[in-house]
Amino acid sequence: MLVEYSFRNFCSFKEETNFSLKATEDGIKNLFPDNYFSDEHDVLKTAVIVGENAGGKTNFVKSLQYLKNFFKENRKVETASEYINDDYTEDFSKLKYADTTQKFSLGVLIKGTMYYYDLEIDFLGVKSEKLEVLRSKETKRKKIFLVTRAEKEPQLSDFVKSPNKLKFANLLYEVKVNSYEKNTTREDTAVIGLYVTRFALLGVPEAVAFSQWVNDTLIVESEIYDAPRMKGSYFQNIDDWRVINDPRFLEILRIIDPSIKTIKPDQRLPYQDTVITRKNSAGKIFNRELRDDSAGLKDYFAWAVQIYKVIYENKVLFADEMDRSLNPILADKIISLIHGSEHKGQFIFTTHNVLHLNLENYMKEQIFFVTKNVETLQSEIYSLAEFTDVDYNSGVNLYEFYLRGVLGGTLSE
């Protein structure tokens, strides 16, 4: 499960941004026993992120997709100019004086062990990378590896002056592998891919476990009904095909429409040619291909596949605007299903549905706001838990507070 995440210098987020899924330490969590998974760490199952249009919600989700792509693709790890915060580039077209350093940190609970991963990159590649673990019953982290760039820090302005000198220069790295080697080595190479994935290929157990979590457990969805799904390649949809054919998937799908009795999935085009069968109170049967059904059902059909993975496969799903075409009652039912099921998955989603702002379904630590300052154009994310004057027993109507701008996330001046 994801416990904490932070990043710096990504799109509209300039300063270090922190996101935590730790449950509260006080007794309030006893009022919400279904909202978190309890082990040595109490980790939230869900979180909702609200905010104005163009405030930064999608950028927050995309930052995780950006990080995950480094694990998926064996390519040069370097900062992409289009994802640097504009405030760090005096001349964005030339990037001559840009601060291209981006930082990402993940704290993940895997089988009772906490994994702490830190990555720092710039326009040349990896600046530093570290993986540590904190095992059950232990109090001190164990360093698995630490990689740091060893040569004098090159500047982007130097690169502009003499690109050939730096562009094709091998970078010197100092590698410390404390758990497996006691000596320090130096590597003369332009790094392709992350070190954590390279150590995973060498069979280092902690690197294997963490890389598998990012690649297989973490799901980041910003365009749920996207082109790859619509192309209908069996290879592209093989994992979804497995889910769609499970009877438990039908039960999740029927949340949106109890009149749905069966589905006949189409292997080549499951998101278009799957046949939905309904029955009315008189027993009359209605068949319709998914492509011809309502926009809400088509969207929810795709989301239901991912919700299945959260509940039955313990996936960690970040969903951008999951309920943009779903009514508020259906959205509440989805959250109730996730909270009420036994699993170790997580569902974090952005929304414009202010009815999620309530302290009946969520703890304060589960409600987040994203807002962008209209003068600086910088985004920030913060939790309702930071508002100490909001009390569970005060009868505060959160969404009215939000609509009045008291809680932020509504375009600040």
Side-chain angles (χ1 to χ4, degrees):
M1 302 183 78
L2 178 66
V3 179
E4 54 194 21
Y5 169 57
S6 66
F7 63 99
R8 172 190 175 273
N9 190 9
F10 183 85
C11 291
S12 58
F13 291 89
K14 176 182 178 181
E15 306 299 338
E16 182 169 317
T17 298
N18 299 298
F19 179 77
S20 173
L21 287 169
K22 296 178 182 177
T24 178
E25 295 289 335
D26 58 34
I28 290 295
K29 65 184 178 185
N30 297 327
L31 301 175
F32 300 88
D34 294 333
N35 291 31
Y36 64 97
F37 172 79
S38 183
D39 196 355
E40 288 192 30
H41 304 269
D42 294 333
V43 189
L44 299 170
K45 289 182 180 180
T46 65
V48 55
I49 303 170
V50 299
E52 69 266 9
N53 288 318
K57 299 188 301 299
T58 297
N59 286 340
F60 173 76
V61 174
K62 282 186 175 179
S63 72
L64 269 169
Q65 184 68 69
Y66 179 78
L67 176 60
K68 177 169 176 155
N69 283 341
F70 290 136
F71 285 79
K72 290 174 59 180
E73 303 171 8
N74 188 28
R75 60 182 176 85
K76 179 76 178 292
V77 177
E78 58 189 349
T79 298
S81 60
E82 62 267 29
Y83 294 120
I84 301 171
N85 181 268
D86 288 0
D87 210 38
Y88 280 127
T89 59
E90 293 185 14
D91 186 338
F92 196 66
S93 60
K94 295 181 180 179
L95 293 177
K96 185 173 181 179
Y97 301 106
D99 177 357
T100 66
T101 298
Q102 295 178 311
K103 295 181 180 179
F104 302 90
S105 296
L106 286 169
V108 179
L109 181 63
I110 305 174
K111 295 182 179 179
T113 296
M114 279 296 303
Y115 288 69
Y116 297 94
Y117 176 74
D118 298 293
L119 175 67
E120 188 174 4
I121 64 174
D122 65 6
F123 76 106
L124 283 177
V126 174
K127 292 182 69 175
S128 66
E129 188 178 356
K130 179 173 66 174
L131 180 64
E132 297 178 320
V133 298
L134 179 62
R135 304 190 190 281
S136 177
K137 310 298 183 184
E138 295 183 356
T139 58
K140 186 177 180 181
R141 297 184 189 182
K142 181 180 182 180
K143 186 181 297 177
I144 304 304
F145 71 84
L146 170 63
V147 176
T148 53
R149 193 183 292 163
E151 83 278 15
K152 181 182 177 182
E153 191 69 30
Q155 301 297 317
L156 187 55
S157 56
D158 298 330
F159 171 75
V160 174
K161 293 175 184 175
S162 52
N164 293 332
K165 181 179 179 181
L166 291 175
K167 187 68 175 179
F168 303 104
N170 286 337
L171 303 176
L172 291 174
Y173 285 89
E174 187 172 74
V175 183
K176 297 180 180 179
V177 192
N178 292 355
S179 301
Y180 300 91
E181 300 176 13
K182 297 301 181 183
N183 61 318
T184 299
T185 60
R186 291 171 69 84
E187 182 171 298
D188 186 9
T189 180
V191 178
I192 301 298
L194 297 169
Y195 268 92
V196 67
T197 56
R198 298 169 74 184
F199 280 120
L201 290 172
L202 293 173
V204 177
E206 295 86 352
V208 170
F210 184 77
S211 296
Q212 285 180 342
W213 184 89
V214 174
N215 285 317
D216 301 334
T217 300
L218 179 63
I219 302 173
V220 185
E221 290 279 7
S222 57
E223 303 264 342
I224 190 66
Y225 207 59
D226 56 9
R229 286 185 174 85
M230 295 299 290
K231 287 178 181 177
S233 162
Y234 176 69
F235 175 76
Q236 290 169 322
N237 290 316
I238 188 169
D239 189 50
D240 292 357
W241 171 255
R242 171 186 54 78
V243 171
I244 294 169
N245 279 276
D246 190 317
R248 296 175 295 184
F249 170 76
L250 179 60
E251 294 307 307
I252 296 176
L253 184 64
R254 293 185 73 242
I255 293 176
I256 192 172
D257 185 353
S259 72
I260 297 175
K261 298 304 178 184
T262 63
I263 60 173
K264 184 180 179 181
D266 181 84
Q267 191 176 63
R268 189 178 68 87
L269 293 170
Y271 291 96
Q272 296 187 59
D273 291 348
T274 290
V275 176
I276 308 295
T277 298
R278 295 174 171 86
K279 181 188 291 186
N280 67 13
S281 59
K284 187 176 180 180
I285 299 296
F286 300 86
N287 293 319
R288 180 176 293 174
E289 290 183 346
L290 184 59
R291 70 167 80 238
D292 298 322
D293 220 303
S294 70
L297 180 64
K298 287 189 287 188
D299 266 5
Y300 180 66
F301 188 95
W303 282 120
V305 172
Q306 307 304 335
I307 293 167
Y308 171 101
K309 294 176 183 178
V310 171
I311 295 173
Y312 295 112
E313 298 178 353
N314 299 323
K315 303 298 186 182
V316 176
L317 172 61
F318 276 77
D320 191 22
E321 295 192 27
M322 179 273 299
D323 53 359
R324 60 186 165 191
S325 56
L326 308 179
N327 71 55
I329 296 175
L330 175 60
D332 275 351
K333 287 181 178 179
I334 294 169
I335 297 304
S336 296
L337 176 65
I338 294 173
H339 282 169
S341 303
E342 292 287 337
H343 60 85
K344 297 181 183 178
Q346 291 169 291
F347 182 49
I348 301 96
F349 66 103
T350 70
T351 184
H352 291 291
N353 177 7
V354 296
L355 295 181
H356 283 293
L357 299 179
N358 69 78
L359 295 178
E360 296 179 358
N361 296 337
Y362 302 96
M363 285 185 271
K364 290 166 63 173
E365 288 77 10
Q366 293 176 274
I367 299 174
F368 291 83
F369 302 94
V370 170
T371 191
K372 181 187 286 186
N373 187 291
V374 294
E375 294 183 357
T376 65
L377 301 183
Q378 308 303 324
S379 296
E380 62 174 323
I381 186 169
Y382 50 90
S383 167
L384 180 62
E386 297 182 29
F387 292 83
T388 56
D389 54 339
V390 175
D391 188 273
Y392 287 90
N393 300 317
S394 64
V396 167
N397 192 328
L398 287 181
Y399 66 82
E400 286 187 4
F401 268 37
Y402 172 73
L403 293 176
R404 296 207 309 264
V406 176
L407 301 174
T410 54
L411 212 60
S412 58
E413 295 291 343

